[in-house]
Amino acid sequence: MTIDVGVRLSIAQALERLMKDGMPFRFEAYDGSVAGPEDARFNFRLLNERGLAYIMTAPGDLGFGRAIVAGDLEVDGVSMGNPYDVLSHVKSRLSLKMPSPAEVLQIVRSLGFANLKPPPPPPEEHLPKWRRALEGFRHSKTRDAEAIHHHYDVSNRFYEYVLGPSMTYTCAVFPDADATLEEAQFEKYDLVARKLDLKPGDRLLDVGCGWGGMVRHAAKHYGVKVIGVTLSEQQALWAQDEIKAQGLDHLAEVRHGDYRDITESEFDAVSSIGLTEHIGVRNYASYFSFLRDRLKDGGRLLNHCITRRDGSLPPSPGAFIDRFVFPDGELAPVGRIVSAAHDNGLEVRHVEDLREHYALTLKGWNENLEAHWDECLDEVSLGTAKVWGIYMAGSRLAFERNELGLHHVLAVKVGRDGDAHFPLRPTWAS
């Protein structure tokens, strides 16, 4: 087909040119153009030129995410607290084609070369990677602290609404399909404790402890002396107050700082629940070496983290997640994690994938955000609330479709005589 680059396209026509199998939704643009079936389940409305510029200058999830977060692209009748249905619909039916150079020229001429100048990003967006470099090398202590601050120091009250009473921002473990989110979070902490074989009087180090859920669980239910550490000041303050409120301060403490600043050693166990995603794949060797050195012989490490499906995928979780959610976050397949642990003085004894459980966890968080939408908007901006709705619903889809996994890797520090202090068979029920 010959393309006449001089023929002007409407916004809707330009979008249709990119669709391989037609529009899976209704689309209306501010220039009055429309496309897609009239009876489509979802209707997208592009409200202004800034939204068009966002999409043109960052094609893909980042551009569309910017337009939605800024309020320039809307979906009729969809709760942004739980946009799972629309994301599932689009992902299942959207098929894009690669336009020819002539088509690209025609689309750009039609929509305007001026829209190739990026507008200022929404205020909820973090700095691009090249700007972050001014804060220090990737995963330096300074840069990691800023990345954690961006995501976690939002509003503890906001997190209470979204996460529920447990204040646990990691994958739960559902003992059955009818379990509540709170029951599943209790089971997660208890499963970690059982895998670590915690006993009264043991010493536990919990790195990346968040609001101290594992810290309190181990102290309260297992009589363990626990040190937790988090880079988020707001998390540390909340956790310290809750520890005191529950009368656990004789056993438990949470420190505001970098896990790499922990000097104590000879711990009976180390738990790392949701930290590995933030440390960088290249730092796995130093990470596992550091945790190994905190353990006594026979001490166990439970590493709980999100993983890639396989090694063909890049470590970066995508542009939208990197800019709006987890700056500098990286993921790897479970084999990379197992190898890194083994190569740095730990012996892996058990691996378990809990990806379906994370899909259920995210479903619960989205439902909480939707149910408490108005209260959440008293705590954070509308854009931030939208970011959370999109990212949690999109992540749920990724776990359901085996694009992401959630792995427990249980390892032990073996003594010089080869004694792992490990039973012949597992003693926990999964």
PDB file of all heavy atoms in Angstrom, residues 36-71:
ATOM      1  N   GLY A  36     -12.920   2.731  16.932  1.00  0.00           N
ATOM      2  CA  GLY A  36     -13.286   1.567  17.731  1.00  0.00           C
ATOM      3  C   GLY A  36     -14.788   1.327  17.744  1.00  0.00           C
ATOM      4  O   GLY A  36     -15.576   2.206  17.388  1.00  0.00           O
ATOM      5  N   PRO A  37     -15.203   0.139  18.142  1.00  0.00           N
ATOM      6  CA  PRO A  37     -16.624  -0.214  18.126  1.00  0.00           C
ATOM      7  C   PRO A  37     -17.450   0.633  19.087  1.00  0.00           C
ATOM      8  O   PRO A  37     -17.004   0.944  20.193  1.00  0.00           O
ATOM      9  CB  PRO A  37     -16.624  -1.690  18.533  1.00  0.00           C
ATOM     10  CG  PRO A  37     -15.291  -1.960  19.131  1.00  0.00           C
ATOM     11  CD  PRO A  37     -14.339  -0.968  18.591  1.00  0.00           C
ATOM     12  N   GLU A  38     -18.651   1.004  18.659  1.00  0.00           N
ATOM     13  CA  GLU A  38     -19.524   1.819  19.497  1.00  0.00           C
ATOM     14  C   GLU A  38     -19.951   1.089  20.767  1.00  0.00           C
ATOM     15  O   GLU A  38     -20.227   1.725  21.787  1.00  0.00           O
ATOM     16  CB  GLU A  38     -20.766   2.250  18.705  1.00  0.00           C
ATOM     17  CG  GLU A  38     -20.459   3.221  17.578  1.00  0.00           C
ATOM     18  CD  GLU A  38     -21.724   3.701  16.885  1.00  0.00           C
ATOM     19  OE1 GLU A  38     -22.835   3.357  17.379  1.00  0.00           O
ATOM     20  OE2 GLU A  38     -21.622   4.388  15.858  1.00  0.00           O
ATOM     21  N   ASP A  39     -20.048  -0.234  20.682  1.00  0.00           N
ATOM     22  CA  ASP A  39     -20.487  -1.012  21.846  1.00  0.00           C
ATOM     23  C   ASP A  39     -19.312  -1.601  22.623  1.00  0.00           C
ATOM     24  O   ASP A  39     -19.468  -2.585  23.358  1.00  0.00           O
ATOM     25  CB  ASP A  39     -21.423  -2.137  21.405  1.00  0.00           C
ATOM     26  CG  ASP A  39     -20.752  -3.122  20.442  1.00  0.00           C
ATOM     27  OD1 ASP A  39     -19.643  -2.801  19.949  1.00  0.00           O
ATOM     28  OD2 ASP A  39     -21.333  -4.195  20.184  1.00  0.00           O
ATOM     29  N   ALA A  40     -18.140  -1.013  22.469  1.00  0.00           N
ATOM     30  CA  ALA A  40     -16.954  -1.515  23.169  1.00  0.00           C
ATOM     31  C   ALA A  40     -17.160  -1.466  24.684  1.00  0.00           C
ATOM     32  O   ALA A  40     -17.873  -0.604  25.207  1.00  0.00           O
ATOM     33  CB  ALA A  40     -15.723  -0.704  22.783  1.00  0.00           C
ATOM     34  N   ARG A  41     -16.538  -2.384  25.374  1.00  0.00           N
ATOM     35  CA  ARG A  41     -16.684  -2.457  26.828  1.00  0.00           C
ATOM     36  C   ARG A  41     -16.085  -1.239  27.513  1.00  0.00           C
ATOM     37  O   ARG A  41     -16.588  -0.777  28.543  1.00  0.00           O
ATOM     38  CB  ARG A  41     -16.020  -3.737  27.336  1.00  0.00           C
ATOM     39  CG  ARG A  41     -16.192  -3.963  28.835  1.00  0.00           C
ATOM     40  CD  ARG A  41     -15.535  -5.260  29.257  1.00  0.00           C
ATOM     41  NE  ARG A  41     -15.620  -5.441  30.712  1.00  0.00           N
ATOM     42  CZ  ARG A  41     -14.964  -6.400  31.371  1.00  0.00           C
ATOM     43  NH1 ARG A  41     -14.200  -7.252  30.703  1.00  0.00           N
ATOM     44  NH2 ARG A  41     -15.090  -6.491  32.680  1.00  0.00           N
ATOM     45  N   PHE A  42     -14.993  -0.703  26.945  1.00  0.00           N
ATOM     46  CA  PHE A  42     -14.313   0.433  27.574  1.00  0.00           C
ATOM     47  C   PHE A  42     -14.155   1.575  26.577  1.00  0.00           C
ATOM     48  O   PHE A  42     -13.895   1.341  25.387  1.00  0.00           O
ATOM     49  CB  PHE A  42     -12.942   0.009  28.099  1.00  0.00           C
ATOM     50  CG  PHE A  42     -13.004  -1.049  29.164  1.00  0.00           C
ATOM     51  CD1 PHE A  42     -12.703  -2.371  28.879  1.00  0.00           C
ATOM     52  CD2 PHE A  42     -13.396  -0.718  30.456  1.00  0.00           C
ATOM     53  CE1 PHE A  42     -12.770  -3.343  29.861  1.00  0.00           C
ATOM     54  CE2 PHE A  42     -13.472  -1.692  31.443  1.00  0.00           C
ATOM     55  CZ  PHE A  42     -13.163  -3.002  31.146  1.00  0.00           C
ATOM     56  N   ASN A  43     -14.304   2.787  27.077  1.00  0.00           N
ATOM     57  CA  ASN A  43     -14.194   3.987  26.270  1.00  0.00           C
ATOM     58  C   ASN A  43     -13.081   4.887  26.812  1.00  0.00           C
ATOM     59  O   ASN A  43     -13.165   5.398  27.929  1.00  0.00           O
ATOM     60  CB  ASN A  43     -15.519   4.748  26.276  1.00  0.00           C
ATOM     61  CG  ASN A  43     -15.478   5.962  25.368  1.00  0.00           C
ATOM     62  OD1 ASN A  43     -15.075   5.859  24.215  1.00  0.00           O
ATOM     63  ND2 ASN A  43     -15.877   7.113  25.882  1.00  0.00           N
ATOM     64  N   PHE A  44     -12.012   5.057  26.024  1.00  0.00           N
ATOM     65  CA  PHE A  44     -10.892   5.923  26.378  1.00  0.00           C
ATOM     66  C   PHE A  44     -11.121   7.307  25.775  1.00  0.00           C
ATOM     67  O   PHE A  44     -11.542   7.421  24.621  1.00  0.00           O
ATOM     68  CB  PHE A  44      -9.569   5.362  25.835  1.00  0.00           C
ATOM     69  CG  PHE A  44      -9.054   4.164  26.580  1.00  0.00           C
ATOM     70  CD1 PHE A  44      -9.662   2.921  26.441  1.00  0.00           C
ATOM     71  CD2 PHE A  44      -7.953   4.274  27.410  1.00  0.00           C
ATOM     72  CE1 PHE A  44      -9.182   1.814  27.118  1.00  0.00           C
ATOM     73  CE2 PHE A  44      -7.459   3.173  28.087  1.00  0.00           C
ATOM     74  CZ  PHE A  44      -8.079   1.943  27.950  1.00  0.00           C
ATOM     75  N   ARG A  45     -10.800   8.346  26.549  1.00  0.00           N
ATOM     76  CA  ARG A  45     -10.951   9.717  26.062  1.00  0.00           C
ATOM     77  C   ARG A  45      -9.654  10.488  26.282  1.00  0.00           C
ATOM     78  O   ARG A  45      -9.208  10.645  27.420  1.00  0.00           O
ATOM     79  CB  ARG A  45     -12.117  10.414  26.776  1.00  0.00           C
ATOM     80  CG  ARG A  45     -13.482   9.835  26.415  1.00  0.00           C
ATOM     81  CD  ARG A  45     -14.628  10.645  26.994  1.00  0.00           C
ATOM     82  NE  ARG A  45     -14.608  10.644  28.453  1.00  0.00           N
ATOM     83  CZ  ARG A  45     -14.412  11.721  29.207  1.00  0.00           C
ATOM     84  NH1 ARG A  45     -14.154  12.900  28.637  1.00  0.00           N
ATOM     85  NH2 ARG A  45     -14.442  11.644  30.526  1.00  0.00           N
ATOM     86  N   LEU A  46      -9.050  10.932  25.196  1.00  0.00           N
ATOM     87  CA  LEU A  46      -7.857  11.776  25.251  1.00  0.00           C
ATOM     88  C   LEU A  46      -8.334  13.222  25.300  1.00  0.00           C
ATOM     89  O   LEU A  46      -8.975  13.708  24.367  1.00  0.00           O
ATOM     90  CB  LEU A  46      -6.977  11.542  24.017  1.00  0.00           C
ATOM     91  CG  LEU A  46      -5.649  12.309  23.978  1.00  0.00           C
ATOM     92  CD1 LEU A  46      -4.735  11.900  25.128  1.00  0.00           C
ATOM     93  CD2 LEU A  46      -4.954  12.085  22.639  1.00  0.00           C
ATOM     94  N   LEU A  47      -8.007  13.936  26.383  1.00  0.00           N
ATOM     95  CA  LEU A  47      -8.643  15.219  26.666  1.00  0.00           C
ATOM     96  C   LEU A  47      -7.911  16.431  26.130  1.00  0.00           C
ATOM     97  O   LEU A  47      -8.538  17.487  25.940  1.00  0.00           O
ATOM     98  CB  LEU A  47      -8.824  15.370  28.187  1.00  0.00           C
ATOM     99  CG  LEU A  47      -9.621  14.258  28.884  1.00  0.00           C
ATOM    100  CD1 LEU A  47      -9.740  14.575  30.367  1.00  0.00           C
ATOM    101  CD2 LEU A  47     -10.994  14.094  28.249  1.00  0.00           C
ATOM    102  N   ASN A  48      -6.610  16.335  25.890  1.00  0.00           N
ATOM    103  CA  ASN A  48      -5.884  17.549  25.504  1.00  0.00           C
ATOM    104  C   ASN A  48      -4.562  17.218  24.814  1.00  0.00           C
ATOM    105  O   ASN A  48      -4.147  16.061  24.719  1.00  0.00           O
ATOM    106  CB  ASN A  48      -5.631  18.436  26.734  1.00  0.00           C
ATOM    107  CG  ASN A  48      -4.956  17.666  27.866  1.00  0.00           C
ATOM    108  OD1 ASN A  48      -3.963  16.981  27.644  1.00  0.00           O
ATOM    109  ND2 ASN A  48      -5.490  17.773  29.070  1.00  0.00           N
ATOM    110  N   GLU A  49      -3.927  18.283  24.330  1.00  0.00           N
ATOM    111  CA  GLU A  49      -2.688  18.122  23.553  1.00  0.00           C
ATOM    112  C   GLU A  49      -1.531  17.637  24.423  1.00  0.00           C
ATOM    113  O   GLU A  49      -0.645  16.932  23.934  1.00  0.00           O
ATOM    114  CB  GLU A  49      -2.340  19.451  22.888  1.00  0.00           C
ATOM    115  CG  GLU A  49      -1.288  19.324  21.804  1.00  0.00           C
ATOM    116  CD  GLU A  49      -1.138  20.592  20.984  1.00  0.00           C
ATOM    117  OE1 GLU A  49      -1.457  21.686  21.512  1.00  0.00           O
ATOM    118  OE2 GLU A  49      -0.711  20.499  19.820  1.00  0.00           O
ATOM    119  N   ARG A  50      -1.522  18.021  25.693  1.00  0.00           N
ATOM    120  CA  ARG A  50      -0.435  17.541  26.560  1.00  0.00           C
ATOM    121  C   ARG A  50      -0.445  16.018  26.642  1.00  0.00           C
ATOM    122  O   ARG A  50       0.614  15.368  26.584  1.00  0.00           O
ATOM    123  CB  ARG A  50      -0.560  18.143  27.959  1.00  0.00           C
ATOM    124  CG  ARG A  50       0.590  17.747  28.892  1.00  0.00           C
ATOM    125  CD  ARG A  50       0.460  18.360  30.272  1.00  0.00           C
ATOM    126  NE  ARG A  50      -0.720  17.882  30.983  1.00  0.00           N
ATOM    127  CZ  ARG A  50      -1.045  18.246  32.215  1.00  0.00           C
ATOM    128  NH1 ARG A  50      -0.288  19.105  32.875  1.00  0.00           N
ATOM    129  NH2 ARG A  50      -2.128  17.761  32.800  1.00  0.00           N
ATOM    130  N   GLY A  51      -1.636  15.437  26.770  1.00  0.00           N
ATOM    131  CA  GLY A  51      -1.734  13.977  26.810  1.00  0.00           C
ATOM    132  C   GLY A  51      -1.212  13.346  25.533  1.00  0.00           C
ATOM    133  O   GLY A  51      -0.526  12.315  25.561  1.00  0.00           O
ATOM    134  N   LEU A  52      -1.514  13.966  24.391  1.00  0.00           N
ATOM    135  CA  LEU A  52      -0.995  13.465  23.116  1.00  0.00           C
ATOM    136  C   LEU A  52       0.524  13.534  23.092  1.00  0.00           C
ATOM    137  O   LEU A  52       1.200  12.591  22.653  1.00  0.00           O
ATOM    138  CB  LEU A  52      -1.579  14.290  21.969  1.00  0.00           C
ATOM    139  CG  LEU A  52      -1.078  13.937  20.564  1.00  0.00           C
ATOM    140  CD1 LEU A  52      -1.446  12.503  20.205  1.00  0.00           C
ATOM    141  CD2 LEU A  52      -1.646  14.917  19.534  1.00  0.00           C
ATOM    142  N   ALA A  53       1.087  14.636  23.594  1.00  0.00           N
ATOM    143  CA  ALA A  53       2.544  14.778  23.618  1.00  0.00           C
ATOM    144  C   ALA A  53       3.190  13.752  24.541  1.00  0.00           C
ATOM    145  O   ALA A  53       4.267  13.216  24.233  1.00  0.00           O
ATOM    146  CB  ALA A  53       2.926  16.194  24.046  1.00  0.00           C
ATOM    147  N   TYR A  54       2.553  13.465  25.674  1.00  0.00           N
ATOM    148  CA  TYR A  54       3.079  12.412  26.550  1.00  0.00           C
ATOM    149  C   TYR A  54       3.189  11.089  25.787  1.00  0.00           C
ATOM    150  O   TYR A  54       4.202  10.382  25.863  1.00  0.00           O
ATOM    151  CB  TYR A  54       2.160  12.213  27.747  1.00  0.00           C
ATOM    152  CG  TYR A  54       2.361  13.179  28.897  1.00  0.00           C
ATOM    153  CD1 TYR A  54       1.265  13.676  29.599  1.00  0.00           C
ATOM    154  CD2 TYR A  54       3.632  13.575  29.300  1.00  0.00           C
ATOM    155  CE1 TYR A  54       1.433  14.546  30.670  1.00  0.00           C
ATOM    156  CE2 TYR A  54       3.806  14.444  30.363  1.00  0.00           C
ATOM    157  CZ  TYR A  54       2.701  14.933  31.043  1.00  0.00           C
ATOM    158  OH  TYR A  54       2.867  15.789  32.101  1.00  0.00           O
ATOM    159  N   ILE A  55       2.128  10.746  25.061  1.00  0.00           N
ATOM    160  CA  ILE A  55       2.090   9.464  24.362  1.00  0.00           C
ATOM    161  C   ILE A  55       3.078   9.440  23.204  1.00  0.00           C
ATOM    162  O   ILE A  55       3.756   8.431  22.966  1.00  0.00           O
ATOM    163  CB  ILE A  55       0.654   9.188  23.870  1.00  0.00           C
ATOM    164  CG1 ILE A  55      -0.278   9.001  25.072  1.00  0.00           C
ATOM    165  CG2 ILE A  55       0.613   7.957  22.971  1.00  0.00           C
ATOM    166  CD1 ILE A  55      -1.752   8.976  24.714  1.00  0.00           C
ATOM    167  N   MET A  56       3.199  10.557  22.479  1.00  0.00           N
ATOM    168  CA  MET A  56       4.105  10.591  21.335  1.00  0.00           C
ATOM    169  C   MET A  56       5.570  10.566  21.752  1.00  0.00           C
ATOM    170  O   MET A  56       6.414   9.994  21.050  1.00  0.00           O
ATOM    171  CB  MET A  56       3.826  11.840  20.490  1.00  0.00           C
ATOM    172  CG  MET A  56       2.527  11.784  19.717  1.00  0.00           C
ATOM    173  SD  MET A  56       2.289  13.252  18.676  1.00  0.00           S
ATOM    174  CE  MET A  56       3.636  13.084  17.485  1.00  0.00           C
ATOM    175  N   THR A  57       5.903  11.199  22.871  1.00  0.00           N
ATOM    176  CA  THR A  57       7.311  11.302  23.275  1.00  0.00           C
ATOM    177  C   THR A  57       7.783  10.102  24.101  1.00  0.00           C
ATOM    178  O   THR A  57       8.985   9.935  24.296  1.00  0.00           O
ATOM    179  CB  THR A  57       7.559  12.583  24.081  1.00  0.00           C
ATOM    180  OG1 THR A  57       6.649  12.642  25.190  1.00  0.00           O
ATOM    181  CG2 THR A  57       7.343  13.806  23.202  1.00  0.00           C
ATOM    182  N   ALA A  58       6.860   9.282  24.584  1.00  0.00           N
ATOM    183  CA  ALA A  58       7.239   8.076  25.337  1.00  0.00           C
ATOM    184  C   ALA A  58       6.256   6.961  24.997  1.00  0.00           C
ATOM    185  O   ALA A  58       5.431   6.572  25.825  1.00  0.00           O
ATOM    186  CB  ALA A  58       7.254   8.349  26.835  1.00  0.00           C
ATOM    187  N   PRO A  59       6.308   6.464  23.753  1.00  0.00           N
ATOM    188  CA  PRO A  59       5.357   5.417  23.350  1.00  0.00           C
ATOM    189  C   PRO A  59       5.462   4.206  24.285  1.00  0.00           C
ATOM    190  O   PRO A  59       6.546   3.813  24.697  1.00  0.00           O
ATOM    191  CB  PRO A  59       5.812   5.050  21.937  1.00  0.00           C
ATOM    192  CG  PRO A  59       6.605   6.226  21.464  1.00  0.00           C
ATOM    193  CD  PRO A  59       7.260   6.787  22.688  1.00  0.00           C
ATOM    194  N   GLY A  60       4.323   3.643  24.625  1.00  0.00           N
ATOM    195  CA  GLY A  60       4.328   2.492  25.524  1.00  0.00           C
ATOM    196  C   GLY A  60       3.763   2.838  26.882  1.00  0.00           C
ATOM    197  O   GLY A  60       3.034   3.820  27.046  1.00  0.00           O
ATOM    198  N   ASP A  61       4.139   2.040  27.890  1.00  0.00           N
ATOM    199  CA  ASP A  61       3.507   2.169  29.202  1.00  0.00           C
ATOM    200  C   ASP A  61       3.826   3.500  29.879  1.00  0.00           C
ATOM    201  O   ASP A  61       2.998   4.053  30.604  1.00  0.00           O
ATOM    202  CB  ASP A  61       3.884   0.999  30.104  1.00  0.00           C
ATOM    203  CG  ASP A  61       5.370   0.937  30.455  1.00  0.00           C
ATOM    204  OD1 ASP A  61       6.177   1.550  29.733  1.00  0.00           O
ATOM    205  OD2 ASP A  61       5.718   0.264  31.436  1.00  0.00           O
ATOM    206  N   LEU A  62       5.017   4.073  29.632  1.00  0.00           N
ATOM    207  CA  LEU A  62       5.367   5.320  30.293  1.00  0.00           C
ATOM    208  C   LEU A  62       4.519   6.480  29.778  1.00  0.00           C
ATOM    209  O   LEU A  62       3.984   7.271  30.565  1.00  0.00           O
ATOM    210  CB  LEU A  62       6.853   5.631  30.111  1.00  0.00           C
ATOM    211  CG  LEU A  62       7.352   6.926  30.761  1.00  0.00           C
ATOM    212  CD1 LEU A  62       7.077   6.930  32.260  1.00  0.00           C
ATOM    213  CD2 LEU A  62       8.834   7.136  30.480  1.00  0.00           C
ATOM    214  N   GLY A  63       4.372   6.608  28.463  1.00  0.00           N
ATOM    215  CA  GLY A  63       3.593   7.699  27.904  1.00  0.00           C
ATOM    216  C   GLY A  63       2.129   7.636  28.283  1.00  0.00           C
ATOM    217  O   GLY A  63       1.534   8.643  28.698  1.00  0.00           O
ATOM    218  N   PHE A  64       1.536   6.462  28.158  1.00  0.00           N
ATOM    219  CA  PHE A  64       0.135   6.317  28.533  1.00  0.00           C
ATOM    220  C   PHE A  64      -0.035   6.497  30.039  1.00  0.00           C
ATOM    221  O   PHE A  64      -1.017   7.083  30.499  1.00  0.00           O
ATOM    222  CB  PHE A  64      -0.401   4.949  28.089  1.00  0.00           C
ATOM    223  CG  PHE A  64      -0.802   4.905  26.652  1.00  0.00           C
ATOM    224  CD1 PHE A  64       0.091   4.504  25.671  1.00  0.00           C
ATOM    225  CD2 PHE A  64      -2.074   5.282  26.260  1.00  0.00           C
ATOM    226  CE1 PHE A  64      -0.274   4.478  24.330  1.00  0.00           C
ATOM    227  CE2 PHE A  64      -2.460   5.250  24.929  1.00  0.00           C
ATOM    228  CZ  PHE A  64      -1.548   4.853  23.953  1.00  0.00           C
ATOM    229  N   GLY A  65       0.932   5.996  30.813  1.00  0.00           N
ATOM    230  CA  GLY A  65       0.872   6.179  32.257  1.00  0.00           C
ATOM    231  C   GLY A  65       0.926   7.645  32.646  1.00  0.00           C
ATOM    232  O   GLY A  65       0.168   8.102  33.503  1.00  0.00           O
ATOM    233  N   ARG A  66       1.818   8.399  32.014  1.00  0.00           N
ATOM    234  CA  ARG A  66       1.899   9.829  32.298  1.00  0.00           C
ATOM    235  C   ARG A  66       0.568  10.521  32.000  1.00  0.00           C
ATOM    236  O   ARG A  66       0.092  11.357  32.777  1.00  0.00           O
ATOM    237  CB  ARG A  66       3.000  10.460  31.451  1.00  0.00           C
ATOM    238  CG  ARG A  66       4.405  10.206  31.942  1.00  0.00           C
ATOM    239  CD  ARG A  66       5.428  10.689  30.938  1.00  0.00           C
ATOM    240  NE  ARG A  66       6.785  10.662  31.477  1.00  0.00           N
ATOM    241  CZ  ARG A  66       7.884  10.774  30.740  1.00  0.00           C
ATOM    242  NH1 ARG A  66       7.779  10.938  29.425  1.00  0.00           N
ATOM    243  NH2 ARG A  66       9.076  10.733  31.311  1.00  0.00           N
ATOM    244  N   ALA A  67      -0.023  10.187  30.844  1.00  0.00           N
ATOM    245  CA  ALA A  67      -1.277  10.830  30.455  1.00  0.00           C
ATOM    246  C   ALA A  67      -2.398  10.517  31.441  1.00  0.00           C
ATOM    247  O   ALA A  67      -3.199  11.397  31.790  1.00  0.00           O
ATOM    248  CB  ALA A  67      -1.661  10.388  29.042  1.00  0.00           C
ATOM    249  N   ILE A  68      -2.454   9.282  31.927  1.00  0.00           N
ATOM    250  CA  ILE A  68      -3.500   8.913  32.882  1.00  0.00           C
ATOM    251  C   ILE A  68      -3.249   9.578  34.234  1.00  0.00           C
ATOM    252  O   ILE A  68      -4.154  10.140  34.852  1.00  0.00           O
ATOM    253  CB  ILE A  68      -3.569   7.378  33.019  1.00  0.00           C
ATOM    254  CG1 ILE A  68      -4.100   6.757  31.725  1.00  0.00           C
ATOM    255  CG2 ILE A  68      -4.477   6.987  34.193  1.00  0.00           C
ATOM    256  CD1 ILE A  68      -4.061   5.242  31.707  1.00  0.00           C
ATOM    257  N   VAL A  69      -2.012   9.513  34.716  1.00  0.00           N
ATOM    258  CA  VAL A  69      -1.687  10.089  36.021  1.00  0.00           C
ATOM    259  C   VAL A  69      -1.945  11.596  36.023  1.00  0.00           C
ATOM    260  O   VAL A  69      -2.458  12.150  37.009  1.00  0.00           O
ATOM    261  CB  VAL A  69      -0.214   9.795  36.387  1.00  0.00           C
ATOM    262  CG1 VAL A  69       0.213  10.578  37.629  1.00  0.00           C
ATOM    263  CG2 VAL A  69      -0.031   8.293  36.635  1.00  0.00           C
ATOM    264  N   ALA A  70      -1.629  12.270  34.913  1.00  0.00           N
ATOM    265  CA  ALA A  70      -1.820  13.710  34.834  1.00  0.00           C
ATOM    266  C   ALA A  70      -3.277  14.109  34.611  1.00  0.00           C
ATOM    267  O   ALA A  70      -3.616  15.289  34.693  1.00  0.00           O
ATOM    268  CB  ALA A  70      -0.955  14.281  33.714  1.00  0.00           C
ATOM    269  N   GLY A  71      -4.150  13.139  34.304  1.00  0.00           N
ATOM    270  CA  GLY A  71      -5.556  13.444  34.067  1.00  0.00           C
ATOM    271  C   GLY A  71      -5.865  13.809  32.630  1.00  0.00           C
ATOM    272  O   GLY A  71      -6.953  14.322  32.336  1.00  0.00           O
TER     273      GLY A  71
END
